[in-house]
Amino acid sequence: MKTQNRRDFLAKAAAALAVTGSPLPGAALSLDRSPASQDEQFPPKRSLADEIKKYRKIDAHAHVYFTKGNFEQVIDIADRLNIGKLVISRPMVPGGKGEPSEFIECNNLVLKAMKQFPDRFFGQLTLNPQYPKESMEEIERCIGEGMIGVKLYNHVKINDPLFYPVIEKFIGLKMMILMHMGIGIARIQYDAREPKGVSIPEDMVEAALRYPEAKFQLAHIGGGIDWEAACKAVIGVPNIFVDVSGSNNAANMIDFAVKCVGIDRLFFGCDSSYYQGVGHVLAAGITDAEREKLYFGNYNKYLKSIGRHVD
Amino acid sequence: MLIDVNSYIGHWPFRRLKGNTCKEQIARMNAAGIDKAVLFNLNGIFYKNVQSANDELFEALNENSEYRKRFIPFATINPIYSGWKHDFEESVKKQGAKGIRLYPLYHGYELSNPACIELAKMARDHNLPVAMALRMVDSRPSSWLDVSKEWALKDTLPLIKAVPDAKYLILNLANNSNFGAFNKDELTMVRQTKLLMDTSGRMVMELSDMMKNYGSDKFAFGSHYPILDPVTGLLRIEAMRPEEATKAEKEKLYYENAKNFLGL
C-alpha cells in the first residue's frame, strides 16, 4: 500500500500544478486528514463538508412542486448544501395546452412558497404567450407580488413574434428571461416529450440579437441538452447567461462553458439535481474567486441590478 | 481511507475526455485523497477484440510501479465474441485482472445469453466480481452514433437470478433504482446477493434510505470519472447527516464495503 504523508502529498500536488499550469480537479479545496490505520497512511481525504460551507450559493434554476411537504424538502436539501437562496418556478405540465388556468395555478404555488420561506425563495412566474392578454396580466400580478423574473417553457419558441411583447415587458423591468431548452440526442432527434415549440440555443441567440437590452438565461446545460453545442451557440452573445444546472454532471462541462462564454456569464443552478449541481462546480478546474462568482456573485450581480441583491 | 470503485482510462469517441490516463487519475486521486481505484479501460467498449483493450490497460499499469499498487484493474470480456474464454484466461490468470466488466448494451447481447451466464459462473468460480453500469453516459445529449437504451436496476436481474452466488458491481445508478421496483422475492434476492452499488449515478438521491432498504453493505463510493465529475459521488456520502449515517457507516461507504467486496 502506498504510504504518503501530508508534506509529500502537498509537494506532489504543487508539482502537478506546476506541470499542468491549471488547477487539478478540486485542487483548490481545503483538505483534512481521515484517520489512518496503524500500519498505513493514506492521502488526506478531501473535506467536502468544509467546501460546502465555504461558498455562499444562489440556485438560479430551482423548482417547487405540488406534492405535500415539498417546500420543506427543498429547504432541507438546500440547508444540507448551504444554498442560501433559490430562484424557484413551477413550469406547467409537459404536454398540456398551457392555458391561463394552468400557469396561474403554477404561479400561485410559487407565491405560496415565497410567502412560506420569504428569506430563501425568489420567485419566477411562468406564462404562455399564446394567451397574450392573460400572460401580460400575470406578469403584472406576479411581479407586483415580488417575483424577480420569468421562467418559460416549451409552448412557443423564444424567437417567435408572440414572445416580443413579453420580452419587451421584461426589458422594461430589467428582469431575467429564463427559457427551457430542448432535450434531445445531439440536436438531431429530440426527446419524445418535446413539442414543436421547444426552443434551442440558436432560437435564443436570434431573440438576444434582436433584443440586446434583454437578459436571457439559457436553461440547464446539464439538463439533457447537448451542452457542447449550447455553449458554442452563445459564444459572443453578451446578453445570454448560461445556467449549469441539471442531472448530467458530465466531467469538464463547466470548464468547457467557461472557455466558451467566460465565467461572468455562468449561473450556478441545480434544477432539482442538487448533488450534481453543487458537485460539478466544486470539481471544476477554476479558481476560488471564479467559483465564488459562479455559485453566488454572478447571480447576485443580476439581483443587485434590480435592487434585490443579497448582502 | 477512500476507494473509488468506478474509474476509467481510455477514450470516449463522442467527446474529449480529460483525466483519462493513469497519470492523470493518480493526480486526481491524490488531490481528493483517494487511495485506490477500480479501473476500467473505456476502449473495451469499442474495440471488437476487447482483449486489445485489456492489453492496453495492463501495459499502462506496468508503466509505473505505483499504478499497480493504486489501481484495481478489471478486464472487459465480450462473451459473444470469438475467443472470450481465452481472453478470460489471459486477463485473469496472466495479467492479473481483479474483476470482469460487461457492456451488454454496447456489445449487443442480453444478460440471459447462455455465454454471458457461463462467463458469470467462471467469474464466480474465480471469486471475481462482475461489473456492469446502468448507462455509460446520459443518452440525451450523447451522439447520434451512441446507443440510446439505458437500464434500470431491475434490468440486471436476469444475470443475478441465473448466477445468484456471483459477486456483482453495479455502477452509475442513473435510472430507476428504487427498491419499490422489485417484488418481494426479487428484493430478497438482491439483498442476499453479494452486490455492491456505487454512488455516482443520478438516482442516488436519498442514499440513507437506499441503505436502509438494500443494506448498508450494498453501497460504496464511486465517481464514474472521467465521464462524470469526480466530486458528486463523494458529496452524496459527505452530505448525509449524522442521524442518517453514522461515522462508522460512512467509513463503510468510503472504503470498508469496497475492501470486503473486492477482497483487498
Side-chain angles (χ1 to χ4, degrees):
Chain A
M1 181 73 64
K2 176 182 165 54
T3 61
Q4 186 181 44
N5 61 31
R6 183 176 179 81
R7 182 178 296 171
D8 288 338
F9 163 73
L10 291 173
K12 287 180 180 176
L17 282 173
V19 169
T20 61
S22 62
L24 293 167
L29 305 180
S30 66
L31 302 167
D32 69 3
R33 177 176 288 281
S34 58
S37 63
Q38 290 182 341
D39 59 347
E40 290 179 309
Q41 282 188 301
F42 307 109
K45 187 168 73 60
R46 179 180 193 165
S47 175
L48 295 180
D50 289 345
E51 292 307 310
I52 291 168
K53 292 176 193 163
K54 180 175 173 182
Y55 298 99
R56 294 198 289 173
K57 303 177 192 74
I58 301 172
D59 182 345
H61 188 148
H63 295 299
V64 288
Y65 298 83
F66 286 102
T67 49
K68 188 180 179 186
N70 171 257
F71 303 164
E72 291 81 2
Q73 290 169 344
V74 171
I75 293 296
D76 179 75
I77 194 159
D79 286 345
R80 192 182 292 259
L81 296 171
N82 193 29
I83 302 171
K85 306 281 184 181
L86 302 99
V87 184
I88 57 168
S89 63
R90 177 59 264 150
M92 289 169 272
V93 176
K97 292 181 180 176
E99 293 177 342
S101 60
E102 292 178 57
F103 59 73
I104 289 169
E105 185 184 19
C106 289
N107 294 332
N108 284 340
L109 182 77
V110 173
L111 289 168
K112 185 180 174 187
M114 289 165 56
K115 284 175 183 153
Q116 189 169 332
F117 293 99
D119 297 331
R120 304 298 296 278
F121 290 146
F122 288 114
Q124 287 176 319
L125 68 128
T126 194
L127 52 79
N128 181 353
Q130 291 167 316
Y131 301 94
K133 178 176 174 290
E134 292 88 345
S135 289
M136 298 308 280
E137 289 172 355
E138 195 64 354
I139 294 171
E140 294 292 340
R141 180 178 82 99
C142 293
I143 298 299
E145 292 280 346
M147 291 198 189
I148 61 156
V150 63
K151 166 71 198 296
L152 303 168
Y153 202 34
N154 56 16
H155 304 90
V156 177
K157 282 180 174 288
I158 187 69
N159 57 340
D160 189 295
L162 277 174
F163 259 127
Y164 293 172
V166 174
I167 294 171
E168 288 162 10
K169 180 69 179 175
F170 277 88
I171 289 172
L173 292 167
K174 298 182 170 38
M175 288 186 179
M176 193 67 68
I177 300 165
L178 166 57
M179 172 53 96
H180 170 80
M181 288 288 129
I183 296 166
I185 299 174
R187 303 172 60 245
I188 289 178
Q189 179 189 338
Y190 283 95
D191 191 275
R193 75 179 183 179
E194 297 288 21
K196 279 191 339 187
V198 73
S199 296
I200 61 173
E202 284 80 357
D203 300 328
M204 182 173 276
V205 168
E206 188 177 318
L209 293 176
R210 180 183 177 89
Y211 290 107
E213 327 89 295
K215 295 170 187 163
F216 294 94
Q217 180 177 336
L218 189 150
H220 53 56
I221 58 170
I225 69 172
D226 184 336
W227 49 273
E228 289 177 299
C231 291
K232 290 182 76 175
V234 301
I235 290 173
V237 188
N239 55 330
I240 294 182
F241 297 82
V242 173
D243 86 53
V244 300
S245 67
S247 64
N248 179 21
N249 55 314
N252 293 313
M253 180 190 296
I254 290 173
D255 302 59
F256 185 82
V258 170
K259 185 178 169 186
C260 288
V261 305
I263 191 70
D264 294 333
R265 284 204 283 135
L266 297 182
F267 292 152
F268 158 70
C270 296
D271 193 9
S272 302
S273 292
Y274 294 96
Y275 295 115
Q276 296 97 312
V278 172
H280 76 154
V281 174
L282 281 182
I286 54 179
T287 65
D288 275 2
E290 289 172 327
R291 215 178 314 275
E292 192 283 332
K293 278 187 169 184
L294 179 48
Y295 271 138
F296 183 82
N298 289 345
Y299 204 85
N300 203 37
K301 187 177 177 184
Y302 158 63
L303 291 174
K304 190 169 187 178
S305 75
I306 58 171
R308 299 289 298 276
H309 59 287
V310 181
D311 292 324
Chain B
M1 185 178 186
L2 190 58
I3 297 174
D4 182 348
V5 300
N6 186 6
S7 69
Y8 301 86
I9 59 169
H11 295 282
W12 188 252
F14 312 120
R15 71 178 171 92
R16 182 183 176 190
L17 297 181
K18 294 184 178 178
N20 56 342
T21 65
C22 289
K23 183 179 179 181
E24 291 168 305
Q25 282 281 8
I26 288 288
R28 188 266 306 195
M29 291 161 66
N30 286 343
I34 297 167
D35 188 63
K36 287 176 173 284
V38 170
L39 191 67
F40 310 100
N41 184 0
L42 286 168
N43 296 341
I45 298 176
F46 305 102
Y47 294 169
K48 288 190 298 176
N49 171 21
V50 295
Q51 186 53 34
S52 299
N54 298 332
D55 293 343
E56 274 183 355
L57 175 64
F58 288 100
E59 285 164 16
L61 293 180
N62 288 334
E63 287 175 3
N64 187 316
S65 59
E66 186 183 8
Y67 297 166
R68 273 288 189 176
K69 294 175 185 171
R70 307 274 307 266
F71 292 119
I72 304 156
F74 274 45
T76 301
I77 305 291
N78 180 351
I80 63 166
Y81 196 78
S82 299
W84 67 267
K85 290 182 183 176
H86 175 268
D87 296 344
F88 184 95
E89 293 288 320
E90 182 78 10
S91 59
V92 170
K93 294 186 178 172
K94 293 184 181 173
Q95 294 174 315
K98 305 299 183 190
I100 298 301
R101 180 66 190 259
L102 306 180
Y103 296 101
L105 290 175
Y106 286 92
H107 291 163
Y109 61 87
E110 302 290 332
L111 287 178
S112 56
N113 186 299
C116 180
I117 291 170
E118 185 178 0
L119 172 58
K121 288 178 178 174
M122 287 169 64
R124 173 201 63 195
D125 294 343
H126 288 78
N127 196 30
L128 295 175
V130 176
M132 302 175 274
L134 299 192
R135 72 178 184 191
M136 285 305 300
V137 296
D138 186 335
S139 63
R140 297 171 299 173
S142 192
S143 168
W144 51 94
L145 292 175
D146 199 354
V147 299
S148 57
K149 188 177 180 184
E150 301 182 6
W151 275 353
L153 184 56
K154 192 169 181 175
D155 290 319
T156 63
L157 275 184
L159 190 57
I160 295 172
K161 282 180 178 174
V163 194
D165 47 353
K167 295 196 290 189
Y168 298 98
L169 180 58
I170 310 295
L171 305 168
N172 198 358
L173 303 182
N175 297 302
N176 188 359
S177 301
N178 193 301
F179 72 97
F182 298 102
N183 65 37
K184 190 178 175 185
D185 291 343
E186 290 169 341
L187 189 58
T188 300
M189 172 173 283
V190 169
R191 286 171 173 158
Q192 291 177 346
T193 301
K194 291 178 184 173
L195 185 147
L196 194 68
M197 296 177 273
D198 89 320
T199 58
S200 69
R202 65 176 282 192
M203 295 311 288
V204 184
M205 292 184 286
E206 302 287 348
L207 182 53
S208 59
D209 285 347
M210 296 176 84
M211 289 164 63
K212 281 177 195 160
N213 286 303
Y214 289 114
S216 59
D217 61 335
K218 290 284 189 284
F219 293 90
F221 162 59
S223 67
H224 206 62
Y225 183 79
I227 289 179
L228 296 180
D229 82 63
V231 170
T232 297
L234 189 58
L235 183 60
R236 292 188 173 100
I237 301 171
E238 294 248 345
M240 283 194 291
R241 296 184 172 120
E243 62 271 25
E244 295 167 332
T246 63
K247 192 174 178 184
E249 286 172 321
K250 285 192 175 182
E251 291 297 313
K252 290 172 79 171
L253 298 171
Y254 290 144
Y255 75 96
E256 284 180 8
N257 287 344
K259 193 173 179 181
N260 293 335
F261 180 82
L262 297 164
L264 301 178

